[in-house]
Amino acid sequence: MSNKRSNSFRQAILQGNRRLCSKALLEEKGLNLSQRLIRHVAYETLPREIDRKWYYDSYTCCPPPWFMITVTLLEVAFFLYNGVSLDQFVLQVTHPRYLKNSLVYHPQLRAQAWRYLTYIFMHAGIEHLGLNVVLQLLVGVPLEMVHGATRIGLVYVAGVVAGSLAVSVADMTAPVVGSSGGVYALVSAHLANIVMNWSGMKCQFKLLRMAVALICMSMEFGRAVWLRFHPSAYPPCPHPSFVAHLGGVAVGITLGVVVLRNYEQRLQDQSLWWIFVAMYTVFVLFAVFWNIFAYTLLDLKLPPPP
């Protein structure tokens, strides 16, 4: 018998003993700080007791939740660098040199494909960055601890790309900045998972916490809408679009929900996964062709390059 199989066998025996004594993980006493943290994360993210116990028994913090932490640190670092170079930290987007940065998505420079992803490292101001960082750490890190960097990174990046492509289709003259597409994908998937498994989710104050999360998301979305229609500091180019938020939500309630509902299960075995992957692929292909042909066919007047 291989080591891997024997470890799995021991885990199964331990899991069976737990079920036989019908003792909930929440009732266990004498846990140290790290064990209580792992238990807390399990109850925050998983709706089934068997999955919570399995996660609690098998989690080793190796590797740690490096993806969300790395992305967050990079976003903060780029923001501080831009703040120093522009000598402005509040509403950086109003600075005349802001859009000259090669990371920002700009409709005139849409052929530079990296901008559909790198715009997440540029934020409109400290008020924009602050809320995104808080949501990434409070929601993204626990999700990554449970589901792993690959799955959570997939949902996050899919939300980011969907956000910029949605802007290029629905708000064609506007630039895009900020990581809201990825953040809204994760938060929307998490909230939808809680609602769909309401009776099984045992996190404390879940109704209050959902309300707080929705209020924070609404405030951020409202700020983005207000900024989009506020008179631009550098006409004729408008302020950044808010449509990326909606692209992130669409990814969260489709691909994201399937990922979060299938803990320790192969996504490729889920028919719903392939349906949503196909829908996402069709949208990406449509947006690519739209970017190639629609701007010319519609004879759209775009703002000048920065």
Side-chain angles (χ1 to χ4, degrees):
M1 182 179 292
S2 68
N3 289 335
K4 182 176 180 181
R5 187 169 182 179
S6 92
N7 287 337
S8 300
F9 182 75
R10 287 196 297 269
Q11 290 284 0
I13 293 297
L14 179 59
Q15 195 75 17
N17 288 338
R18 286 184 181 277
R19 288 199 298 270
L20 285 174
C21 66
S22 66
K23 183 179 180 181
L25 180 60
L26 196 61
E27 299 172 0
E28 294 196 3
K29 307 297 182 182
L31 303 182
N32 60 37
L33 182 60
S34 63
Q35 290 173 324
R36 289 199 298 269
L37 174 62
I38 295 170
R39 183 178 65 178
H40 173 76
V41 170
Y43 276 94
E44 287 290 306
T45 56
L46 296 171
R48 297 193 304 169
E49 185 67 17
I50 185 174
D51 288 336
R52 290 191 286 260
K53 290 177 178 178
W54 176 261
Y55 168 74
Y56 177 81
D57 290 332
S58 60
Y59 184 73
T60 61
C61 197
C62 185
W66 61 270
F67 177 79
M68 292 309 309
I69 293 175
T70 301
V71 169
T72 301
L73 291 175
L74 287 173
E75 290 171 2
V76 173
F78 276 106
F79 175 79
L80 293 176
Y81 173 80
N82 286 316
V84 172
S85 61
L86 300 177
D87 193 25
Q88 185 170 337
F89 289 90
V90 178
L91 284 178
Q92 284 184 358
V93 72
T94 61
H95 195 284
R97 288 192 287 116
Y98 181 84
L99 288 183
K100 296 182 182 295
N101 194 292
S102 61
L103 301 179
V104 175
Y105 169 84
H106 191 283
Q108 280 282 19
L109 304 173
R110 64 189 183 279
Q112 299 176 356
W114 70 84
R115 293 177 181 264
Y116 290 89
L117 182 61
T118 59
Y119 75 92
I120 68 171
F121 299 116
M122 301 291 293
H123 284 79
I126 194 169
E127 66 288 344
H128 186 198
L129 174 73
L131 189 55
N132 279 346
V133 164
V134 168
L135 289 175
Q136 280 181 179
L137 295 178
L138 293 184
V139 177
V141 170
L143 289 179
E144 186 178 345
M145 289 175 65
V146 173
H147 297 281
T150 301
R151 290 190 174 194
I152 297 305
L154 174 65
V155 175
Y156 186 86
V157 172
V160 169
V161 174
S164 54
L165 289 176
V167 172
S168 70
V169 171
D171 197 2
M172 300 167 66
T173 63
V176 190
V177 297
S179 59
S180 298
V183 172
Y184 275 54
L186 292 180
V187 177
S188 298
H190 182 50
L191 295 181
N193 189 45
I194 292 177
V195 172
M196 295 170 65
N197 300 280
W198 187 261
S199 60
M201 297 298 290
K202 302 300 182 182
C203 49
Q204 293 181 326
F205 311 112
K206 55 186 176 183
L207 185 60
L208 175 62
R209 295 165 70 174
M210 280 193 63
V212 171
L214 290 173
I215 290 172
C216 290
M217 293 174 69
S218 300
M219 288 175 58
E220 162 56 21
F221 184 71
R223 180 210 59 81
V225 173
W226 169 83
L227 183 62
R228 171 64 179 86
F229 295 108
H230 190 269
S232 176
Y234 33 82
C237 186
H239 283 310
S241 177
F242 59 86
V243 177
H245 298 68
L246 304 179
V249 170
V251 169
I253 62 178
T254 53
L255 289 174
V257 167
V258 176
V259 168
L260 298 192
R261 288 187 64 189
N262 289 279
Y263 171 69
E264 288 293 313
Q265 298 177 42
R266 290 157 53 94
L267 292 177
Q268 55 266 40
D269 294 338
Q270 310 297 317
S271 57
L272 199 58
W273 166 255
W274 290 113
I275 292 173
F276 288 143
V277 166
M279 292 171 57
Y280 185 82
T281 303
V282 169
F283 167 71
V284 171
L285 292 175
F286 167 78
V288 169
F289 281 101
W290 181 273
N291 276 271
I292 294 173
F293 300 109
Y295 283 76
T296 302
L297 294 176
L298 295 174
D299 195 23
L300 195 67
K301 185 177 180 180
L302 296 176

